[in-house]
Amino acid sequence: MAQDTAQQAPAAPAHALLPLILPALAVGVGASLLLVGVSAAAEQLQHVLWRNLPDALGVGRYSVLWMLVMLTATGIAVGLVVWKVPGHAGPDPATTGLNAPVLPPAVLPGLVLATALMLAGGPSLGPENPIIAVNVALAFWLGRRLLPRMPRGLWPALAEAATIGALFGTPVAAALVISEALAGRQLRGALWDNVFGPLVAAAAGALTTTLVAHPSFDLHLPALDRPGWGDLLAALVVASVAAALGMVAVLAFPYVHGAFGRLRHPMLAIPAGGLVLGLLAAVGGHLTLFKGLDEIGELAADPEGWSAGEFATLTVVKLAALLVAASCGFRGGRIFPAVFVGVALGLCAHALVDAVHPAVGVTAGVLGMLLAVTRQGWVSLFTAAVLASSPAILALLCIASLPAWLLVTGRPQMQLREDGTPVR
């Protein structure tokens, strides 16, 4: 052990880390403000499209007709951006994940516009992937010009961490993503030396978002004080079922993507996707629209308010909507809609078996679904845990993650290569 320790690279001295603080703070604040700004603009447009306009026309806000019209129109608007705006709103979103490439600056306005239109129009995607890509590109191009002596790889790492911290309102999420990314790399120095700058950026991004937007993921579910054997069994079963259901969507992903790809033009594929999303919303109702964060609060506020069949319908429709939106060309991420699917599935389990505690069902459902969709173990655990303010549930989730992970590891991910083959 002493010999192994002696062979490790020495820890970085403090004076080597101090120059990272100001750039990391600047990137963190900037990344958060961009996320908050795009989200706020999209929310205002959403109010116009889904409240003011249908009220002025005398049409029901979430009538079947209006959902069909709005989602198809959103597909047309995003399709126009992808077709005509310089840069075509970035690469095919089915090929991107949280680790974003450095895009040319000319791509960014179209990507921001396509993301805002998507968020306002109702497709089942979140802002995470495109906002991370925009922040990475801005941090890289500005950083290289203002501080050219800094390492090139520093700026993407700072921007990714800052955006993840801003998205979740805490740097813990970014720390978990970073530690998972570093697990397979040869590190120079101690782990905390390597994550020092990104953690500063994540903390700055999280604090800025907290001060400006006051985000909260707590669903105010009934607390689980003393988990028992029945709770452990429920967590194991629900997480495994959620992971298996998520893998159905993952395995279908390249086929659905290929079907839309055969339309060969964004003005055909994306509006067609919008029309399909409108038809799905007609089945699932308005709760299956949008990224899903506000909607999970409505579900969790009254776990007894829907039947098991209604929760099952919400689960299947939202998962199908996520699959379609991610396949047809809408710019967005897959984490937040997957959270909605997991919440609905967990509440369905509670409705089927009253002994399944709502907090156990919801957190285990989110855990299994995120493991399948993201293949990010730490983020899945963290996101599931913060939905319920019950520390006792964390041990259940850690155990429940093990069989769920066995179901998903080594299998295709919900991300494609440029040739259309799935990433493993």
Side-chain angles (χ1 to χ4, degrees), residues 21 47 58 121 143 359 380:
I21 294 178
H47 289 165
S380 301

Side-chain angles (χ1 to χ4, degrees), residues 44-308:
Q44 292 301 314
L45 180 57
Q46 178 184 331
H47 289 165
V48 172
L49 297 178
W50 292 93
R51 295 184 183 180
N52 301 346
L53 190 55
D55 289 351
L57 295 174
V59 180
R61 291 179 178 179
Y62 295 108
S63 64
V64 171
L65 174 62
W66 193 250
M67 290 191 291
L68 284 170
V69 168
M70 279 309 309
L71 285 159
T72 305
T74 300
I76 293 171
V78 174
L80 281 170
V81 173
V82 175
W83 180 27
K84 289 295 187 180
V85 173
H88 305 291
D92 183 350
T95 65
T96 62
L98 293 180
N99 296 322
V102 178
L103 300 174
V107 174
L108 306 186
L111 181 55
V112 170
L113 179 57
T115 303
L117 289 172
M118 181 279 300
L119 291 172
S124 293
L125 293 173
E128 60 274 17
N129 289 14
I131 295 299
I132 287 175
V134 172
N135 280 331
V136 164
L138 288 175
F140 181 83
W141 292 104
L142 290 175
R144 291 295 294 165
R145 281 154 180 74
L146 298 177
L147 296 171
R149 294 186 178 181
M150 288 289 186
R152 294 173 61 92
L154 172 67
W155 303 108
L158 293 181
E160 288 181 13
T163 311
I164 293 171
L167 280 163
F168 289 95
T170 170
V172 175
L176 295 174
V177 172
I178 296 166
S179 64
E180 197 161 10
L182 294 177
R185 301 181 187 175
Q186 292 289 338
L187 300 181
R188 297 181 59 186
L191 173 64
W192 282 89
D193 289 340
N194 285 273
V195 303
F196 180 84
L199 271 183
V200 173
L207 183 58
T208 303
T209 302
T210 300
L211 294 173
V212 174
H214 313 291
S216 176
F217 288 87
D218 186 4
L219 296 181
H220 304 289
L221 294 164
L224 179 70
D225 297 323
R226 302 180 65 138
W229 292 109
D231 297 312
L232 176 59
L233 177 61
L236 289 167
V237 172
V238 174
S240 298
V241 170
L245 181 62
M247 282 307 302
V248 172
V250 171
L251 294 174
F253 188 46
Y255 300 101
V256 178
H257 179 267
F260 283 108
R262 282 191 283 273
L263 296 176
R264 298 184 178 278
H265 199 285
M267 281 304 293
L268 295 176
I270 304 178
L275 176 60
V276 174
L277 292 174
L279 294 172
L280 287 170
V283 176
H286 73 279
L287 289 178
T288 58
L289 297 172
F290 307 109
K291 62 186 178 185
L293 281 187
D294 294 333
E295 290 73 20
I296 62 173
E298 188 171 341
L299 285 181
D302 186 14
E304 316 298 334
W306 286 271
S307 67

Side-chain angles (χ1 to χ4, degrees), residues 366-403:
V366 170
L367 171 65
M369 187 58 60
L370 285 180
L371 284 175
V373 170
T374 70
R375 220 55 57 86
Q376 297 274 347
W378 285 122
V379 170
S380 301
L381 268 171
F382 169 80
T383 305
V386 298
L387 296 177
S389 55
S390 178
I393 212 165
L394 188 56
L396 296 180
L397 294 178
C398 288
I399 298 172
S401 69
L402 302 179

Side-chain angles (χ1 to χ4, degrees), residues 354-372:
D354 188 63
V356 176
H357 193 283
V360 173
V362 164
T363 55
V366 170
L367 171 65
M369 187 58 60
L370 285 180
L371 284 175

